[in-house]
Amino acid sequence: MDNQPPLRIVLAKVGLDGHDRGVKVVTRALRDAGFHVIYPGLWQSPESVVRTVADEDADWLGISLLSGTHMTLVPRIMQMLQAAGLRHVGVLVGGIIPEADVPKLLAVGVARIFGPGTPLGEIIEFLRAQGSRTHA
Amino acid sequence: MLDELLARFQARDRLALARLLTLVARGEQLEAIRAALSPKNETTPVVAITGNAGVGKSTLVGKLAEVLRAEGKSVAILACDPQSPLTGGALLGDRARMPTHPEDPGLYIRSLAAPSGHQAVAQHVDLMIRMVAQFGFDVIVVETVGAGQGDIAVRELADVVVLLVQPESGDDLQWEKAGLLEIADVVVIHKADLPGAERLESQVRELLSLPGCREIAVLRVSSAKQTGLTELWSTIASCPRRSTLIEPDGQVLLRHAQQVLAERFQDRAGSVGHVVDRWKRHELDVTQAADELLHVLAR
């Protein structure tokens, strides 16, 4: 570890989606890479995710979606983050996202989308390179 | 930037509170933040929840918060989880066991990483407690890492220390070990819906009735069955405040002074380093350098 304070990242499962294997693997990988990972559990609402990001002063939000609801939930969360004054928080999306939806999610402000099979090191490197937008 | 944050904090901006807590957790700007707070507010009760890993601390804290919200009291929860000694990483999962009411501004949950080793709470939790108290929360709950034995630090932080124990977690000799029952003001037999709760309660009561023991309440609580929760809160609320109980203790003052000194060394690392450099260049002898350091560290 260098002298940077650990990045705080909220990893969230939103909506009626019980597939948490992926997010748990990422949670462990980021923890072992020195991040502070806040995991609020399954079945979060967009409102509770935004509240968690705000109260925890997170640098990043990772949303895991395998339920096909990404085009409904992600834009809503992005909008609510803005409204809550959390424009500076970087957003990642992981899970099953069809190729055609990727540009649409990037267009609403998602920083990066990590699909199945992404090497864990790639996520870690990306976050380290981006660092904190909050405390820059 | 800090001034702006502090001004927003005084105006009860929740995002400013969150950011200031991050700074404090990282040990940054401690002096300036401490100085900006009004004198210690002794009226906000601070409740510490401690006990071994898996005994149900987070779950109980969540349930207790709901009881308090139903009474109209706002609650700030400072939930500590361990940080890896190897990587500095942490999985902060206490939130997952607590209720989320995003529409309710009266509940604030903050996850904190506690450094590994002897500490049961995150660093500078004392300052964080003062911050959330000044922000206006009615009750502050500190959840410890769950080190179990030797959580002495929480005794100084909290007005009331609640120790959770659960059935089938060791024989009565286990409870005799130093440091565990000694720190508690209230003992909760948690998961009281499980078999063995009554036996555990009688064991604990027997230990606590030995000569020389303080008066400690023992309650059976089940978060799963929602029993004993309101009784727990009324027991906590009726506990005398630590601050009114404790005789003025020189040790407390000395520890505080040591802490302030350590913070100043950290905050003023630049000036301290400057003195060290001058000593290295033989511009100062060791006595002069020490005097110079005292000068730098004094206000």
Side-chain angles (χ1 to χ4, degrees):
Chain A
M1 280 294 289
D2 46 19
N3 285 328
Q4 293 299 314
L7 286 179
R8 291 172 71 81
I9 179 165
V10 171
L11 289 181
K13 292 293 300 180
V14 192
L16 289 175
D17 175 3
H19 302 278
D20 61 354
R21 177 66 69 98
V23 77
K24 281 180 170 164
V25 170
V26 175
T27 296
R28 179 189 287 192
L30 292 181
R31 180 201 67 186
D32 290 345
F35 294 87
H36 284 181
V37 185
I38 296 132
Y39 180 60
L42 290 169
W43 312 308
Q44 300 293 306
S45 65
E47 288 81 1
S48 65
V49 167
V50 172
R51 168 52 68 89
T52 300
V53 169
D55 285 358
E56 298 285 358
D57 189 30
D59 304 290
W60 286 90
L61 165 64
I63 308 167
S64 161
L65 288 159
L66 292 88
S67 59
T69 52
H70 49 275
M71 287 315 298
T72 313
L73 291 172
V74 174
R76 190 190 294 174
I77 292 171
M78 297 305 294
Q79 202 182 7
M80 288 171 61
L81 284 173
Q82 297 236 337
L86 297 166
R87 211 178 295 259
H88 55 271
V89 176
V91 177
L92 305 176
V93 172
I96 307 296
I97 309 294
E99 202 70 16
D101 291 339
V102 169
K104 297 179 199 163
L105 292 180
L106 295 175
V108 296
V110 172
R112 185 82 180 257
I113 290 149
F114 293 106
T118 304
L120 291 165
E122 198 179 313
I123 306 175
I124 293 164
E125 284 316 308
F126 177 79
L127 285 170
R128 283 202 179 135
Q130 295 274 320
S132 166
R133 306 174 174 196
T134 314
H135 305 277
Chain B
M1 179 207 149
L2 184 67
D3 289 342
E4 186 226 326
L5 262 184
L6 287 167
R8 281 168 54 206
F9 168 78
Q10 304 289 4
R12 305 198 71 246
D13 176 342
R14 214 171 154 111
L15 293 181
L17 169 67
R19 179 65 46 81
L20 285 170
L21 287 172
T22 305
L23 290 177
V24 170
R26 291 175 178 171
E28 294 169 17
Q29 309 277 5
L30 296 173
E31 265 199 301
I33 293 170
R34 212 181 274 281
L37 295 177
S38 44
K40 199 168 182 177
N41 174 359
E42 302 283 0
T43 58
T44 309
V46 181
V47 182
I49 309 286
T50 188
N52 283 317
V55 77
K57 294 183 293 297
S58 301
T59 305
L60 185 74
V61 167
K63 296 288 178 195
L64 198 57
E66 286 184 336
V67 170
L68 287 162
R69 290 305 293 135
E71 279 190 19
K73 291 189 163 61
S74 62
V75 190
I77 299 169
L78 302 174
C80 303
D81 265 331
Q83 172 176 322
S84 162
L86 301 177
T87 64
L91 166 54
L92 309 174
D94 290 328
R95 282 192 95 94
R97 320 214 182 279
M98 294 179 191
T100 45
H101 300 292
E103 70 292 346
D104 178 8
L107 179 64
Y108 184 89
I109 306 174
R110 179 61 182 239
S111 312
L112 300 166
S116 60
H118 54 283
Q119 267 190 313
V121 288
Q123 280 178 307
H124 313 301
V125 161
D126 57 331
L127 186 49
M128 298 186 200
I129 288 171
R130 284 180 58 196
M131 290 163 72
V132 288
Q134 189 168 331
F135 196 80
F137 289 99
D138 299 326
V139 179
I140 299 163
V141 181
V142 179
E143 183 191 335
T144 74
V145 164
Q149 296 162 357
D151 295 359
I152 299 302
V154 296
R155 249 199 105 148
E156 276 172 30
L157 294 170
D159 293 302
V160 179
V161 177
V162 180
L163 172 71
L164 270 58
V165 295
Q166 64 175 342
E168 304 298 338
S169 49
D171 63 6
D172 53 353
L173 195 60
Q174 202 64 27
W175 310 121
E176 285 283 38
K177 288 185 182 169
L180 197 51
L181 287 175
E182 280 168 68
I183 63 164
D185 302 296
V186 178
V187 176
V188 165
I189 315 291
H190 202 211
K191 309 188 190 180
D193 50 307
L194 297 182
E198 285 175 38
R199 199 164 70 106
L200 176 58
E201 183 187 353
S202 63
Q203 281 177 357
V204 170
R205 281 191 187 280
E206 198 176 326
L207 282 173
L208 294 176
S209 67
L210 293 175
C213 283
R214 290 177 299 135
E215 188 88 9
I216 298 177
V218 181
L219 283 131
R220 265 188 277 161
V221 177
S222 165
S223 291
K225 303 272 186 215
Q226 306 261 28
T227 57
L229 292 161
T230 46
E231 294 82 350
L232 173 59
W233 171 242
S234 53
T235 305
I236 292 171
S238 65
C239 275
R241 290 290 172 74
R242 174 100 55 217
S243 46
T244 61
L245 268 183
I246 285 185
E247 296 270 308
D249 180 352
Q251 289 301 322
V252 173
L253 175 63
L254 292 180
R255 266 196 293 275
H256 180 72
Q258 281 174 356
Q259 188 188 347
V260 169
L261 198 58
E263 284 174 11
R264 288 190 186 175
F265 263 106
Q266 201 172 346
D267 286 351
R268 303 174 190 184
S271 317
V272 169
H274 188 62
V275 176
V276 173
D277 288 342
R278 285 173 63 202
W279 172 73
K280 280 184 181 166
R281 291 196 300 266
H282 305 291
E283 291 171 24
L284 301 169
D285 69 20
V286 74
T287 317
Q288 287 169 325
D291 278 347
E292 200 61 27
L293 279 179
L294 285 177
H295 186 69
V296 166
L297 295 170
R299 208 167 264 287

